Amino acid sequence: MAKIKLSKKSSRIDMTAMCDMAFLLLSFFIMTATAKVPEALPVDTPASTVQTKLPEENLGTLTIGKEKVFFGVTGREVRAETLKRMGEKYSIQFSDADQKKFALMDGFGVDIRQMKQLIDMKNEQRMREGVQPGIPYDSINNQLADWVKTAREVTKDLDGKDLDIAIKGDAKEEYPTVKKVLDILQKQNKNNFFLVTGLRSDDF
């Protein structure tokens, strides 16, 4: 009796559909992901189980770490106008080009007399450690209070509402520095603000 020959089937698997799906997923995640913005003063925030989303607009952020304080505000128009008014207050002339560059900066930590030098730097130069020593906030030269007050005034004039304030402090920061910042806000009758924390589990 003759043997029946079985036809050999190819063991090759067509991966075209799998590759298409992988590239579609990769493209989706790349286009929807938000890149982390580099910070001039990186801080390790304290852990908390409370989840409260920060406002995306009309927000000023005070970053506290290593006895330094940095300040940033959302909205390019608000940033530019705030710099202009602070320049007028301290008799420093900021050009339109300076204001446009400053409007692209998320936060800063220098004496206003060094602001022109900071604006002229490239972003990677600004982010180097030690380049920004922090905004003065002592009793003699309290520029931080002026920045907060001016930003609030600008926000009211442009948007018709008060500026929300968020405090982002390092978990290991000494209390006296934080208290000085809180005193600045309280003197301006700003008693409601957000505290930026990191998320932790309930059984931490």
Side-chain angles (χ1 to χ4, degrees), residues 100-117:
K100 287 178 182 177
K101 289 180 183 178
F102 182 79
L104 300 175
M105 294 167 54
D106 289 309
F108 63 93
V110 295
D111 190 302
I112 193 169
R113 289 165 291 192
Q114 300 169 344
M115 185 62 73
K116 278 183 173 289
Q117 296 173 349

Side-chain angles (χ1 to χ4, degrees), residues 7-198:
S7 60
K8 291 183 178 180
K9 293 183 179 179
S10 175
S11 59
R12 181 175 173 273
I13 300 173
D14 188 0
M15 296 294 291
T16 306
M18 183 72 76
C19 290
D20 289 344
M21 182 61 69
F23 278 111
L24 281 171
L25 287 172
L26 182 63
S27 300
F28 171 77
F29 287 122
I30 288 173
M31 288 187 288
T32 57
T34 53
K36 184 179 179 182
V37 179
E39 299 175 312
L41 181 63
V43 294
D44 182 18
T45 55
S48 172
T49 56
V50 179
Q51 298 186 57
T52 304
K53 192 174 181 181
L54 292 174
E56 295 182 0
E57 298 178 347
N58 299 320
L59 179 69
T61 304
L62 293 161
T63 305
I64 308 170
K66 300 177 182 177
E67 298 184 358
K68 302 176 184 177
V69 183
F70 283 52
F71 182 61
V73 62
T74 58
R76 294 183 180 182
E77 192 177 353
V78 174
R79 292 175 192 163
E81 183 61 25
T82 301
L83 179 68
K84 179 183 176 183
R85 295 190 188 184
M86 282 292 291
E88 292 170 353
K89 182 177 181 64
Y90 284 86
S91 302
I92 301 173
Q93 185 70 36
F94 291 104
S95 65
D96 291 340
D98 291 336
Q99 294 175 41
K100 287 178 182 177
K101 289 180 183 178
F102 182 79
L104 300 175
M105 294 167 54
D106 289 309
F108 63 93
V110 295
D111 190 302
I112 193 169
R113 289 165 291 192
Q114 300 169 344
M115 185 62 73
K116 278 183 173 289
Q117 296 173 349
L118 186 70
I119 290 172
D120 290 336
M121 290 181 184
K122 293 182 179 179
N123 193 51
E124 55 269 20
Q125 292 176 313
R126 293 190 203 111
M127 297 302 167
R128 288 177 187 165
E129 188 175 354
V131 172
Q132 301 187 56
I135 302 172
Y137 58 94
D138 56 75
S139 56
I140 299 172
N141 184 21
N142 198 340
Q143 293 181 20
L144 181 63
D146 291 333
W147 277 109
V148 174
K149 183 179 179 183
T150 305
R152 292 179 67 189
E153 291 172 349
V154 170
T155 304
K156 263 184 185 170
D157 292 343
L158 295 179
D159 300 324
K161 57 180 73 173
D162 194 13
L163 182 72
D164 290 319
I165 299 292
I167 297 176
K168 184 178 181 180
D170 194 288
K172 297 178 181 178
E173 184 61 45
E174 297 293 334
Y175 178 69
T177 306
V178 180
K179 186 178 184 305
K180 286 179 181 179
V181 173
L182 295 178
D183 288 343
I184 288 171
L185 296 178
Q186 288 179 339
K187 285 179 182 177
Q188 297 184 23
N189 295 319
K190 189 67 177 178
N191 298 310
N192 296 324
F193 44 82
F194 297 91
L195 292 175
V196 181
T197 57

